[in-house]
Amino acid sequence: MSENLVWDVDRIRADFPIFDRTPHIYLDNAATTHKPASVIKAITDFYEMHNANVHRGIYHLGSAASQRYAEARSTVADFIGAQASEIIFTAGCTDSINLVAFGLIDNKLSEGDTIVCLASEHHANLVPWQEVARRNNVQLKILHLTDLLDLDLTQAYSFIDRNTKLVAIAHTSNVTGARYPIEEVIAHSHKMGAMVLVDAAQALLSESVNVQDLGADFLAFSGHKMLGPTGCGVLYGRPEHLEQMQAIRFGGDMIRRVEYDQSTFAAAPRRFEAGTPPIAAVIGLAKAVDYINRVGVKAIADHSKALTVAAQELLTEEGFAVLGRPKHRGPILSFSHSRIHPHDLASILDERGIAIRAGHHCAQPFLKHLGLMATARVSFSLYNTHAEIESLGEGLRHAKALLL
Amino acid sequence: MSENLVWDVDRIRADFPIFDRTPHIYLDNAATTHKPASVIKAITDFYEMHNANVHRGIYHLGSAASQRYAEARSTVADFIGAQASEIIFTAGCTDSINLVAFGLIDNKLSEGDTIVCLASEHHANLVPWQEVARRNNVQLKILHLTDLLDLDLTQAYSFIDRNTKLVAIAHTSNVTGARYPIEEVIAHSHKMGAMVLVDAAQALLSESVNVQDLGADFLAFSGHKMLGPTGCGVLYGRPEHLEQMQAIRFGGDMIRRVEYDQSTFAAAPRRFEAGTPPIAAVIGLAKAVDYINRVGVKAIADHSKALTVAAQELLTEEGFAVLGRPKHRGPILSFSHSRIHPHDLASILDERGIAIRAGHHCAQPFLKHLGLMATARVSFSLYNTHAEIESLGEGLRHAKALLL
Amino acid sequence: MSDLYHPLILKHSREPLHFHERKDAEIILDAYNPICGDDYKIYLDLVDDHLEALSFDGYGCAVSKASASLLAQKLGGKSRGEAHKQLQRFLEMVTGSGTMIDEDLAVFAMAKKYPGRITCVTLAWQALDEFLSQHA
Amino acid sequence: MSDLYHPLILKHSREPLHFHERKDAEIILDAYNPICGDDYKIYLDLVDDHLEALSFDGYGCAVSKASASLLAQKLGGKSRGEAHKQLQRFLEMVTGSGTMIDEDLAVFAMAKKYPGRITCVTLAWQALDEFLSQHA
Ligand SMILES: Cc1ncc(COP(=O)(O)O)c(C=O)c1O
Ligand SMILES: Cc1ncc(COP(=O)(O)O)c(C=O)c1O
């Protein structure tokens, strides 16, 4: 896609105040994205005009806040093709996954059951399952990847069997950017009677996601990685699962009737939102969704994709090894160099105002399995430009000159 | 304290943009407080100038965000006389209490142990203990109050005994405003070998709280009730307890080493902060603490206290029954009228731009025990004025004329 | 004058109709709002598919009480189908865009301006709606 | 030129001193940074209260490797007390406001400008500090 024609990246960048205030080249969008002015303003407006707690106030501010909070739920639900009642606001993607792990799966496992995780999962979609498996004395099976670091469906089909209770899989790997064939994994898992939790932390800006089409049992993601504020995330769950899922946090707002000796709890999604929720962040997230819808997920994805392709060429040319060659890839690339440590590369680029990530990307065992301790990673979003990739190229050459 | 002399409430109000933008009389500070411009600006600045994820970035923005997040921890720690390593950032007060319940107490209970809760506890400090008691098949004992709705120390001393593992008690009741004699309860509990969790949700603007002086084992509170943003709270814990406490959320940032078959976890406080934290909210909370320190907790408390005394007189004069006559009271008053339902009162006052709370204040069994289903509640903060109490008086008289 | 506290609502809240307990009723419904604590029971018998001896008691605000009182007055004695139709029209009016022919019930239309109080208006109606939907 | 990548640091990272495994060392310390994955082992014997045969191996960035190399070079053979004093002075310089007499080590003072890299500079030193503090 040509930047000059359909996609006016300068206009997009103008929506993001940080590029004015703190000029830099930001290539760490998989960690968190920057926020458009409309999202920041929604938060400011909330505190400056609408501030009140939700669920409880009879007075105008209170009921207006509750209404805004409810509307945000509908906005987010619409965005992924879900019903509002299927959307739980959490503290983040990590929190969403833990809720499924300890609110549902922990109560459902019996001897001989297994949980399946992809080898490349983020710690957030691995460690909770380890813990649940440990507590229930069941096996956590790791589905390893092909040499291209993609998922082999034939292997997955034999791996996920009638003993599998849950498959935990990322939509898009935050390490390699691989967009896994989750539709097929879900279809097969359901045939085997297993539920599937899709970690969509890296998904929502790289393609339009519809939970009905996907058929996922659960979908977890964070607001801050999709132009929204820090401090809130989402768990989508199919209603029949949410009904069975138990609360793991107890307190106000999630109850139906409390007596001294026992309590009964509200229906989903309320049952899972104990206490005062991150109201401003949730309202900000809805604004982020509005912004994404206005620009268009496809346009964002196409632009990011074009940058990813260009970056991949550049990295290869400069002698860096790009991690994996999956069939489909989101806007994320990990890469390494036999004689340049990723941290040094990140520091040297930082001195030129280029922010990239270096480390294990919260996937320690995956990197270790690949014989790596860390990689460098670039990830792109709607506001990145081809000129920034040229600067990256200059930075890489400078680093090589310095370190080799 | 005279408003005109020492306390310039107009200057204070000028710090809170909401009074300019949406004029109203806000008497529901126990639910959530409004936010000063400096707090809102801290959030805006973060997103407009400093946005990055914490803990992971080598680049400048990333390490600056980590540093700001760490500084916020120190600011909050200083505010309550704690060390930074003793401060865990959570999603809110409810989340803080649940962490202690399921991360520590749930693993510590054995047959014959008991948990003690005050009768007036907020659901957030009751329902988690119910659940922990149920799971471990131990007794949750409810310590009832005197006729004045205060805590009777003699009774507490015989109630809390060598079987008591944990005492869960509010510093200040969000229903009656009672400031309980927690120092004595803590001293006695420690003699009996019991830990004490203090729910300080309503404490931090009504007196200066020092965890060393208190001797509390745990202190839980929310940012949004102390001029800070929604979406973050704090758990203070004594280091020896934090060391024993286990994580209840698993994922990135809380780990030490992850392998496919097992993981080891970081030290406190990091072990309890899985995933991307509510960075902007935490930074905003630190700004709220700065603001409170600048104005002075004592000045805030004195002002709120004077308003509370005036309101109590007014309510009594107008024929409303104020709930409880505790020895010490924070800036919170619940009241009722035999022939006026609190919801109707709240609606009628709302039509006059006065926001008060009506309901069970997340203390259903307490109200039920008192033979009430709901009360009206007013709660004061630094920006409220004596003129607002006069308006409240007019509103009350209007309501009586309408409804009686 | 208040919009929400129409004279008719005030009258029904001060002197609710059919406001009495009936422990031996064939059907006893809970109309409970956990958020605010309003808590009514609705009593009725189904006789020849008609809602007979409809009454209620319990505790709540002027608005929920007046609304329950009008429910008892307007739907008592109606056939199941007719009652269900009327109460759905009522719920639509309060929460959506419907209008009401019954002048008394139309008074509750202004509840839309008070989103915090809609549950008060609908409490008893929703409980009866749930019952009639489940036993249609 | 880069501030962080001083020629001395580059030299030590390219050709680290005392960079070898020694499985039969009396003391083997882990210097591991879970955040970034840098992972060294430090080998030493305590002979007459002196740090003898100090070496290291493992994996990490140029900065952490150079810093470990300089640690081995500067503290190897020193008495326990002297080594501890020197390394605490080094840690103070990097994280606080101290200065360093040793010109080579002073090169790391600029790490203060790179808060994201301080752990790289201190990794090996902190591991040894922890050991010496616990066995003082
Ligand atoms: C005494 C008390 N404890 C706990 C809470 C729960 O706080 P949050 O809803 O912020 O988690 C509140 C606030 O409603 C409270 O007043
Ligand atoms: C694939 C994936 N899953 C889960 C997470 C965790 O998200 P959060 O830290 O917002 O909870 C991340 C982000 O780091 C991620 O990239």
Side-chain angles (χ1 to χ4, degrees):
Chain A
M1 170 181 228
S2 158
E3 231 169 63
N4 310 320
L5 279 171
V6 203
W7 183 259
D8 186 347
V9 77
D10 287 337
R11 258 178 69 183
I12 295 285
R13 288 177 74 83
D15 292 335
F16 290 79
I18 198 165
F19 294 119
D20 259 353
R21 307 285 301 269
T22 308
H24 68 299
I25 295 176
Y26 188 72
L27 305 180
D28 194 18
N29 294 287
T32 197
T33 59
H34 288 324
K35 323 301 174 199
S38 61
V39 168
I40 303 170
K41 183 169 185 302
I43 299 169
T44 310
D45 282 357
F46 177 73
Y47 289 128
E48 291 192 349
M49 300 199 285
H50 312 304
N51 180 61
N53 210 325
V54 293
H55 298 326
R56 307 176 197 169
I58 284 171
Y59 50 86
H60 175 72
L61 274 183
S63 57
S66 303
Q67 215 168 330
R68 278 191 181 84
Y69 186 72
E71 282 165 13
R73 202 190 298 277
S74 300
T75 302
V76 171
D78 283 351
F79 185 58
I80 59 167
Q83 299 295 314
S85 59
E86 300 162 349
I87 296 294
I88 300 160
F89 287 122
T90 66
C93 185
T94 301
D95 195 30
S96 301
I97 296 169
N98 277 271
L99 175 52
V100 179
F102 298 101
L104 187 69
I105 305 303
D106 193 32
N107 312 318
K108 264 189 158 337
L109 292 170
S110 37
E111 214 191 308
D113 286 345
T114 62
I115 299 173
V116 169
C117 259
L118 219 54
S120 57
E121 292 308 307
H122 188 282
H123 293 160
N125 205 23
L126 171 65
V127 186
W129 306 117
Q130 256 177 13
E131 185 66 15
V132 165
R134 192 186 62 73
R135 289 187 193 188
N136 291 276
N137 205 16
V138 308
Q139 204 197 340
L140 173 65
K141 288 169 62 180
I142 304 296
L143 177 56
H144 284 282
L145 301 176
T146 64
D147 289 347
L148 304 179
L149 303 186
D150 210 340
L151 185 146
D152 178 344
L153 276 175
T154 318
Q155 204 192 336
Y157 290 162
S158 70
F159 206 76
I160 297 164
D161 60 23
R162 300 220 162 268
N163 292 324
T164 310
K165 259 270 148 28
L166 181 103
V167 178
I169 182 170
H171 175 286
T172 297
S173 162
N174 68 304
V175 181
T176 62
R179 197 296 199 185
Y180 296 119
I182 49 172
E183 289 83 350
E184 287 81 355
V185 170
I186 291 168
H188 172 78
S189 301
H190 285 174
K191 257 188 250 155
M192 295 294 133
M195 287 185 266
V196 181
L197 178 141
V198 175
D199 176 352
Q202 300 297 343
L204 295 156
L205 292 180
S206 56
E207 71 182 60
S208 104
V209 171
N210 182 301
V211 289
Q212 301 308 329
D213 297 350
L214 272 186
D217 298 277
F218 293 100
L219 192 87
F221 54 98
S222 276
H224 71 94
K225 290 183 200 279
M226 48 185 286
L227 315 185
T230 55
C232 83
V234 174
L235 176 68
Y236 155 83
R238 281 164 70 150
E240 64 269 30
H241 299 325
L242 294 187
E243 212 171 283
Q244 285 185 43
M245 195 162 79
Q246 290 171 24
I248 60 170
R249 273 198 291 261
F250 300 85
D253 297 334
M254 56 74 70
I255 54 94
R256 180 166 161 80
R257 213 185 264 266
V258 177
E259 320 232 7
Y260 282 130
D261 52 351
Q262 61 169 26
S263 302
T264 53
F265 305 120
R270 204 157 174 147
R271 177 160 76 252
F272 307 109
E273 298 181 2
T276 303
I279 308 170
V282 163
I283 289 170
L285 173 56
K287 273 289 170 198
V289 168
D290 288 344
Y291 182 87
I292 295 166
N293 283 332
R294 209 154 55 236
V295 178
V297 174
K298 185 162 175 357
I300 295 172
D302 286 348
H303 175 71
S304 315
K305 182 80 204 165
L307 295 169
T308 309
V309 169
Q312 186 162 5
E313 268 171 35
L314 167 74
L315 288 164
T316 310
E317 256 168 43
E318 296 297 340
F320 292 83
V322 170
L323 216 66
R325 261 197 298 134
K327 196 159 162 205
H328 301 286
R329 197 193 300 264
I332 301 172
L333 293 169
S334 266
F335 56 99
S336 60
H337 189 287
S338 58
R339 287 164 58 214
I340 299 179
H341 190 284
H343 279 188
D344 297 314
L345 183 62
S347 272
I348 290 167
L349 291 175
D350 182 43
E351 289 184 328
R352 305 168 75 89
I354 304 172
I356 72 160
R357 170 104 343 187
H360 55 56
H361 318 297
C362 292
Q364 283 184 2
F366 181 52
L367 287 206
K368 189 175 169 195
H369 186 79
L370 300 175
L372 297 164
M373 288 304 287
T375 70
R377 184 186 72 186
V378 288
S379 48
F380 303 98
S381 198
L382 68 168
Y383 36 64
N384 292 119
T385 68
H386 285 280
E388 288 178 337
I389 293 186
E390 277 167 37
S391 303
L392 174 65
E394 285 158 28
L396 294 174
R397 287 186 287 276
H398 171 73
K400 288 197 293 183
L402 199 62
L403 294 173
L404 296 183
Chain B
M1 171 180 228
S2 158
E3 233 169 64
N4 311 320
L5 278 172
V6 202
W7 184 259
D8 186 347
V9 76
D10 286 336
R11 260 180 66 184
I12 295 284
R13 288 175 74 82
D15 292 335
F16 289 79
I18 198 165
F19 293 119
D20 258 352
R21 308 286 299 269
T22 308
H24 69 298
I25 295 177
Y26 188 71
L27 305 180
D28 194 18
N29 293 288
T32 197
T33 59
H34 288 323
K35 323 301 173 200
S38 61
V39 168
I40 303 170
K41 184 168 184 305
I43 299 169
T44 311
D45 282 356
F46 177 72
Y47 289 127
E48 292 193 347
M49 300 199 286
H50 312 305
N51 180 61
N53 210 325
V54 294
H55 297 327
R56 308 177 199 167
I58 284 172
Y59 51 85
H60 176 73
L61 274 183
S63 57
S66 304
Q67 216 169 331
R68 277 191 183 84
Y69 186 73
E71 281 165 12
R73 202 189 298 277
S74 301
T75 302
V76 171
D78 283 349
F79 185 59
I80 59 166
Q83 299 296 313
S85 59
E86 300 162 349
I87 297 293
I88 300 160
F89 287 121
T90 66
C93 184
T94 301
D95 195 31
S96 301
I97 296 170
N98 277 270
L99 175 53
V100 179
F102 298 101
L104 187 68
I105 305 302
D106 193 32
N107 313 317
K108 265 189 156 342
L109 292 170
S110 38
E111 215 192 307
D113 287 345
T114 62
I115 298 172
V116 168
C117 259
L118 218 55
S120 57
E121 291 308 307
H122 188 283
H123 293 161
N125 204 23
L126 171 65
V127 186
W129 306 117
Q130 258 178 12
E131 185 65 16
V132 165
R134 192 186 62 72
R135 289 188 193 187
N136 290 278
N137 205 17
V138 308
Q139 204 196 341
L140 173 65
K141 288 169 63 181
I142 304 296
L143 177 56
H144 284 282
L145 301 176
T146 65
D147 290 347
L148 305 178
L149 303 186
D150 210 339
L151 185 146
D152 178 344
L153 277 174
T154 318
Q155 203 191 335
Y157 289 163
S158 70
F159 207 76
I160 298 164
D161 60 23
R162 299 220 164 267
N163 292 325
T164 310
K165 259 271 146 27
L166 180 104
V167 178
I169 182 171
H171 175 284
T172 296
S173 162
N174 68 304
V175 181
T176 63
R179 197 298 199 184
Y180 296 119
I182 50 171
E183 288 84 350
E184 286 82 354
V185 170
I186 291 168
H188 172 76
S189 301
H190 285 173
K191 255 188 251 156
M192 294 293 132
M195 286 184 266
V196 181
L197 178 142
V198 174
D199 176 352
Q202 300 297 343
L204 294 157
L205 291 180
S206 56
E207 71 183 61
S208 103
V209 171
N210 183 300
V211 289
Q212 301 309 329
D213 297 350
L214 272 185
D217 298 278
F218 293 101
L219 192 87
F221 54 99
S222 277
H224 71 94
K225 291 182 199 280
M226 49 184 286
L227 316 185
T230 55
C232 83
V234 174
L235 176 67
Y236 155 82
R238 280 163 70 152
E240 65 269 29
H241 299 326
L242 294 187
E243 212 169 285
Q244 284 186 43
M245 193 161 80
Q246 290 172 24
I248 59 170
R249 273 198 291 260
F250 300 84
D253 298 333
M254 56 74 71
I255 55 95
R256 180 167 163 79
R257 213 185 263 266
V258 177
E259 320 232 7
Y260 283 129
D261 51 351
Q262 61 168 30
S263 302
T264 53
F265 305 120
R270 205 157 175 149
R271 178 161 75 251
F272 307 109
E273 298 181 2
T276 302
I279 309 170
V282 163
I283 289 170
L285 173 56
K287 272 289 172 197
V289 168
D290 289 343
Y291 182 87
I292 295 167
N293 284 332
R294 209 154 55 238
V295 179
V297 174
K298 186 164 176 351
I300 296 171
D302 286 348
H303 175 71
S304 315
K305 182 78 204 167
L307 295 169
T308 309
V309 168
Q312 185 161 6
E313 268 171 34
L314 167 73
L315 288 164
T316 311
E317 254 168 44
E318 296 297 340
F320 291 84
V322 171
L323 216 65
R325 262 196 298 133
K327 197 160 162 202
H328 301 286
R329 195 192 302 263
I332 300 172
L333 293 169
S334 265
F335 56 99
S336 60
H337 189 286
S338 58
R339 287 163 59 214
I340 299 179
H341 189 287
H343 278 189
D344 297 316
L345 184 62
S347 272
I348 290 167
L349 291 175
D350 182 43
E351 291 184 328
R352 304 169 76 89
I354 304 172
I356 72 160
R357 170 105 340 187
H360 56 56
H361 317 298
C362 293
Q364 282 183 3
F366 180 53
L367 287 206
K368 190 174 168 196
H369 186 79
L370 299 175
L372 298 164
M373 288 303 289
T375 69
R377 184 185 73 185
V378 289
S379 47
F380 303 98
S381 198
L382 67 169
Y383 36 64
N384 292 119
T385 67
H386 285 280
E388 289 177 335
I389 293 187
E390 277 168 36
S391 302
L392 174 65
E394 285 159 28
L396 294 174
R397 287 185 288 277
H398 171 72
K400 288 197 293 182
L402 197 65
L403 295 173
L404 297 184
Chain C
M1 256 308 298
S2 159
D3 258 6
L4 186 56
Y5 294 89
H6 186 281
L8 184 82
I9 291 181
L10 290 170
K11 179 169 154 263
H12 275 266
S13 76
R14 284 201 198 97
E15 290 153 26
L17 304 174
H18 311 283
F19 187 67
H20 52 82
E21 190 177 15
R22 194 159 63 84
K23 283 195 173 150
D24 61 349
E26 190 189 328
I27 291 145
I28 304 182
L29 304 174
D30 266 324
Y32 170 59
N33 183 344
I35 307 302
C36 67
D38 282 8
D39 201 355
Y40 298 99
K41 287 202 188 318
I42 300 170
Y43 308 92
L44 69 150
D45 299 336
L46 274 184
V47 182
D48 286 343
D49 225 39
H50 282 63
L51 282 57
E52 298 296 349
L54 189 56
S55 76
F56 78 107
D57 74 343
Y59 168 90
C61 62
V63 176
S64 62
K65 191 178 280 175
S67 147
S69 169
L70 277 150
L71 172 137
Q73 184 195 2
K74 301 288 176 177
L75 302 188
K78 287 261 165 22
S79 77
R80 198 145 63 151
E82 177 56 27
H84 204 182
K85 212 161 63 188
Q86 272 221 33
L87 75 78
Q88 290 198 321
R89 193 173 299 162
F90 179 80
L91 290 173
E92 247 167 54
M93 172 190 74
V94 178
T95 58
S97 57
T99 53
M100 207 81 211
I101 305 160
D102 187 302
E103 262 183 38
D104 290 352
L105 295 180
V107 160
F108 286 99
M110 66 339 172
K112 270 199 283 262
K113 287 202 290 177
Y114 302 85
R117 301 303 299 281
I118 284 178
T119 49
C120 308
V121 175
T122 59
L123 188 59
W125 299 73
Q126 219 122 36
L128 188 55
D129 181 41
E130 206 168 288
F131 170 75
L132 292 175
S133 301
Q134 274 168 16
H135 301 82
Chain D
M1 257 306 299
S2 160
D3 258 6
L4 186 55
Y5 295 89
H6 186 281
L8 185 81
I9 291 180
L10 291 169
K11 178 168 154 264
H12 275 265
S13 75
R14 286 202 199 95
E15 290 152 26
L17 305 175
H18 312 283
F19 186 67
H20 52 82
E21 192 177 14
R22 194 160 62 83
K23 283 193 173 148
D24 61 348
E26 189 188 330
I27 292 146
I28 305 182
L29 304 174
D30 266 324
Y32 171 59
N33 182 345
I35 307 302
C36 66
D38 282 8
D39 200 355
Y40 298 99
K41 287 201 189 318
I42 301 170
Y43 307 92
L44 70 150
D45 300 335
L46 274 183
V47 182
D48 286 342
D49 226 39
H50 280 64
L51 282 57
E52 298 298 348
L54 190 55
S55 76
F56 79 109
D57 74 344
Y59 168 89
C61 62
V63 177
S64 63
K65 191 178 281 176
S67 148
S69 169
L70 277 149
L71 172 137
Q73 184 195 4
K74 301 287 176 178
L75 301 187
K78 287 258 163 27
S79 77
R80 194 142 65 147
E82 178 55 29
H84 203 182
K85 212 160 60 187
Q86 273 220 33
L87 75 80
Q88 289 196 321
R89 193 174 298 162
F90 179 80
L91 291 173
E92 247 166 55
M93 171 191 74
V94 178
T95 59
S97 58
T99 53
M100 206 81 210
I101 304 159
D102 186 301
E103 261 182 38
D104 290 350
L105 295 179
V107 159
F108 287 99
M110 66 341 175
K112 271 199 283 263
K113 286 202 288 175
Y114 302 84
R117 301 303 299 280
I118 284 178
T119 50
C120 308
V121 175
T122 59
L123 188 59
W125 299 74
Q126 219 124 36
L128 188 56
D129 181 40
E130 206 168 286
F131 169 76
L132 292 175
S133 301
Q134 274 168 17
H135 302 82

